[in-house]
Amino acid sequence: MANLINIDGRMKRISQRDIAKILGINVSTVSRALRGVEGVGPELKEKIAQLAKEQGYTPNPFALSLRYDTTRTIGVIVPNVSFSHFAHIVKYLEMEAKKAGYMCIITDSDDKYENEVAIVEHMMSMHVDGIIVCLAQDTTDYSHLFRVKERSVPIVIFDRIADVNLSTVVINDTDSVRQVTHYLIDCGAKRIAFLGGSNRMKQTADRKHGYLEALRERRIPIRKELVKCHNTSFNSGLTDMMDLLDLPEPPDAIIAAHGLLANAAFKAINSRGLRIPEDIALVGYMSDWVSDIMTPRITFVKQNLRDIGGKAFKLLNDQINGDFSVKHIVLKARLELRETTKKIT
């Protein structure tokens, strides 16, 4: 049986025309066999089916791709499309895609690994021209992403990434948290707590690493009870924050590594009748408009969502145009001071 078709050493997604060329038959014969139409002998039909299976052929529902092997669509997967952080990134990503003549199929994994895997497979069966994904917080097996790359389908990961040989776009997670921690120490904080998401996420690990590095640099003892890393959800953040406030020596400052966690911390602090920032300071990773509707407004780490979306599409478009080199883009975030941090005496 013929080997997979390779172009410049890369495996090409096989088409009906490729199958016909390998077997030395007409494309129409392959089409009839794969559609179960009469007129193809059983032996040849079996040979076509076997080759299609071996080569990973999947039918393309878009008529355009049958002729040009492109759908002019890209798949975008986010953990929660209703969350403003992801919604804004997708908005800017889609703007750039439209300029280049692509439409986006935007899907929500509900922050679950199994949903992410199913969506990726479905997008592959739709023959999208590329996939851009922000990983679910429980994704630790990346074989579904490697299968995309093995079929030479462009793929980019953004925001929540992994240590894999795929192109990525992310902010300077470690350095940005180091900056926040130094700032809080300079304000007089002695017991800074870190409220993070799942430890399985590289984003959480990197942000926690920056927090711990800053404490070591300032020779402040690391207290394990002040580090809470569980699920990135409001309820989880609320529970963790309540536990922190119940400590014999509760924190005098909080770094919340996600917007939902910052909101949860804000609610928990207020529910105890504590003053922000007089009793406890708060810094969150969140959107500016979310900060601005809170009273007091939350000091936050501002991420350039336009750049995240735009750079993610650019990396994908480069791959679509033949540049399969793996690139890692790190964008700088900055600390925006609001009312939840003041000099702590």
Side-chain angles (χ1 to χ4, degrees):
M1 191 66 68
N3 292 327
L4 287 169
I5 296 174
N6 287 273
I7 298 177
D8 296 331
R10 294 187 175 276
M11 188 170 68
K12 177 181 180 294
R13 183 171 61 201
I14 197 166
S15 66
Q16 291 185 12
R17 188 176 300 279
D18 297 325
I19 294 173
K21 185 176 181 179
I22 292 172
L23 297 177
I25 57 179
N26 292 327
V27 177
S28 59
T29 303
V30 174
S31 178
R32 288 199 303 272
L34 294 176
R35 289 185 291 120
V37 177
E38 293 183 0
V40 182
E43 183 176 344
L44 180 56
K45 186 176 181 179
E46 175 61 25
K47 187 179 294 186
I48 293 170
Q50 183 64 29
L51 179 60
K53 181 178 179 181
E54 290 176 355
Q55 305 284 26
Y57 171 81
T58 53
N60 190 335
F62 297 95
L64 184 62
S65 69
L66 296 176
R67 183 173 180 181
Y68 298 109
D69 197 30
T70 179
T71 61
R72 304 300 294 180
T73 59
I74 60 173
V76 181
I77 308 170
V78 294
N80 186 343
V81 74
S82 67
F83 189 61
S84 64
H85 175 79
F86 298 123
H88 280 83
I89 291 175
V90 168
K91 173 185 176 181
Y92 297 125
L93 191 161
E94 190 173 28
M95 285 171 55
E96 295 304 313
K98 285 180 178 178
K99 291 177 185 177
Y102 288 91
M103 290 190 64
C104 295
I105 301 173
I106 302 164
T107 55
D108 187 326
S109 69
D110 196 27
D111 224 354
K112 293 182 174 59
Y113 165 74
E114 60 271 20
N115 292 347
E116 182 179 293
V117 173
I119 292 169
V120 167
E121 292 301 321
H122 185 60
M123 286 183 170
M124 291 296 290
S125 71
M126 296 174 68
H127 287 211
V128 294
D129 292 329
I131 296 175
I132 300 176
V133 57
C134 177
L135 300 178
Q137 61 181 311
D138 60 348
T139 297
T140 56
D141 179 353
Y142 311 110
S143 55
H144 59 303
L145 305 180
F146 295 140
R147 286 195 294 272
V148 175
K149 184 177 182 179
E150 287 167 359
R151 298 179 191 177
S152 290
V153 176
I155 182 167
V156 173
I157 311 176
F158 74 94
D159 196 53
R160 297 182 190 171
I161 64 172
D163 286 320
V164 292
N165 191 32
L166 298 171
S167 291
T168 58
V169 179
V170 71
I171 68 163
N172 57 332
D173 287 309
T174 300
D175 287 341
S176 63
V177 177
R178 183 190 290 111
Q179 178 191 358
V180 170
T181 309
H182 282 309
Y183 168 74
L184 289 171
I185 294 170
D186 290 340
C187 286
K190 304 295 184 184
R191 300 179 305 280
I192 304 171
F194 179 83
L195 195 60
S198 169
N199 274 312
R200 291 172 291 190
M201 290 194 301
K202 187 177 185 302
Q203 183 184 78
T204 297
D206 288 346
R207 292 179 181 179
K208 182 169 66 174
H209 180 64
Y211 157 79
L212 296 174
E213 274 194 343
L215 294 182
R216 293 188 187 100
E217 289 165 359
R218 295 300 184 89
R219 300 184 183 280
I220 293 178
I222 294 171
R223 297 171 53 181
K224 293 182 179 179
E225 68 271 21
L226 292 181
V227 180
K228 297 285 188 179
C229 295
H230 296 105
N231 288 329
T232 303
S233 70
F234 182 86
N235 289 337
S236 178
L238 194 62
T239 299
D240 284 342
M241 190 64 218
M242 290 296 192
D243 289 344
L244 288 170
L245 295 176
D246 286 336
L247 290 172
E249 290 185 290
D252 55 15
I254 303 292
I255 299 174
H258 189 280
L260 287 174
L261 301 178
N263 287 332
F266 189 89
K267 181 174 181 179
I269 294 167
N270 282 326
S271 73
R272 294 295 180 88
L274 298 171
R275 298 168 301 163
I276 305 174
E278 291 81 3
D279 297 318
I280 185 166
L282 174 62
V283 179
Y285 277 71
M286 60 202 311
S287 300
D288 48 2
W289 74 268
V290 177
S291 168
D292 288 341
I293 65 174
M294 310 296 281
T295 304
R297 296 181 302 164
I298 299 176
T299 293
F300 66 100
V301 177
K302 184 176 181 61
Q303 305 168 66
N304 192 326
L305 306 184
R306 178 184 292 272
D307 265 5
I308 294 174
K311 297 293 187 183
F313 175 74
K314 184 181 185 306
L315 287 183
L316 192 80
N317 200 35
D318 287 345
Q319 292 180 37
I320 291 173
N321 291 324
D323 180 4
F324 275 87
S325 59
V326 174
K327 300 173 184 175
H328 302 293
I329 294 178
V330 179
L331 301 171
K332 288 186 178 181
R334 68 176 186 269
L335 181 62
E336 293 283 330
L337 302 180
R338 297 294 186 267
E339 287 90 24
T340 59
T341 54
K342 291 182 180 179
K343 289 292 182 181
I344 303 173
T345 57

